[in-house]
């Protein structure tokens, strides 16, 4: 498996990433790195907790409780996805800005096919919104 940045603190999460099929794993590792990078650059978020929820890697802000959970996974139809809590406005707000730029599943997920074409700038906005959701 490609070396993850930052290193995995939880061996169960690391094993879950190792179990993802390629090329989805490469995309999920890029999203993971973007989540940690965005959290580190966003005031008020604090340390992230990386754990498994429903068998998927999940990112929480337990120290500050500033955010809503972000999850990563592989949908049935293939590719890979970033999930937000469906009872928040995180994804609907993002979709209002970038309606035609991504493939969405309601207020729940953004789907991706190609890890090389991830628009990091736009995704940082989505991730920052999730990590600061309770600071509004």
């Amino acid at each position: 498996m490609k070396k993850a940045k930052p290193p995995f603190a939880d061996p169960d999460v690391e094993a879950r990433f190792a179990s993802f099929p390629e090329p989805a794993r490469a995309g999920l590792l890029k999203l993971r790195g973007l989540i940690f990078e965005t959290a580190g650059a966003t005031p008020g978020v604090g340390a992230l907790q990386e754990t498994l929820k429903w068998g998927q890697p999940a990112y929480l802000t337990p120290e500050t409780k500033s955010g809503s959970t972000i999850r990563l996974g592989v949908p049935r139809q293939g590719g890979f996805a970033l999930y937000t809590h469906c009872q928040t406005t995180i994804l609907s707000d993002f979709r209002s800005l970038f309606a035609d730029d991504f493939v969405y599943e309601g207020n729940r997920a953004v789907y991706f096919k190609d890890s090389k074409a991830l628009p990091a700038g736009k995704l940082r906005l989505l991730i920052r919104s999730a990590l600061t959701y309770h600071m509004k």
Side-chain angles (χ1 to χ4, degrees):
M1 185 167 79
K2 179 182 166 185
K3 193 170 184 173
K5 293 181 186 178
F8 290 102
D10 183 333
D12 292 334
V13 175
E14 184 173 17
R16 184 65 185 120
F17 270 93
S19 76
F20 288 128
E22 280 295 348
R25 180 183 317 126
L28 291 167
L29 285 170
K30 284 184 179 183
L31 287 174
R32 177 186 183 268
L34 199 56
I35 290 167
F36 277 101
E37 177 186 304
T38 303
T42 305
V45 170
L48 283 187
Q49 178 186 8
E50 182 178 42
T51 189
L52 294 177
K53 289 204 175 271
W54 303 283
Q56 296 174 316
Y59 303 86
L60 300 89
T61 57
E63 184 179 290
T64 63
K65 300 192 184 332
S66 66
S68 178
T69 302
I70 299 170
R71 291 180 294 116
L72 301 176
V74 175
R76 287 186 193 102
Q77 67 268 32
F80 56 101
L82 184 149
Y83 298 91
T84 62
H85 193 294
C86 63
Q87 294 179 339
T88 67
T89 61
I90 296 165
L91 212 50
S92 61
D93 292 347
F94 183 73
R95 190 176 192 162
S96 71
L97 297 173
F98 305 110
D100 299 325
D101 295 4
F102 298 94
V103 176
Y104 299 92
E105 180 189 325
N107 284 337
R108 167 186 156 93
V110 180
Y111 294 138
F112 307 95
K113 293 285 184 201
D114 184 359
S115 65
K116 295 179 183 104
L118 289 177
K122 292 175 184 176
L123 290 173
R124 277 187 193 92
L125 182 62
L126 173 60
I127 293 164
R128 188 177 308 112
S129 178
L131 294 175
T132 61
Y133 186 73
H134 295 295
M135 293 172 68
K136 297 178 183 180

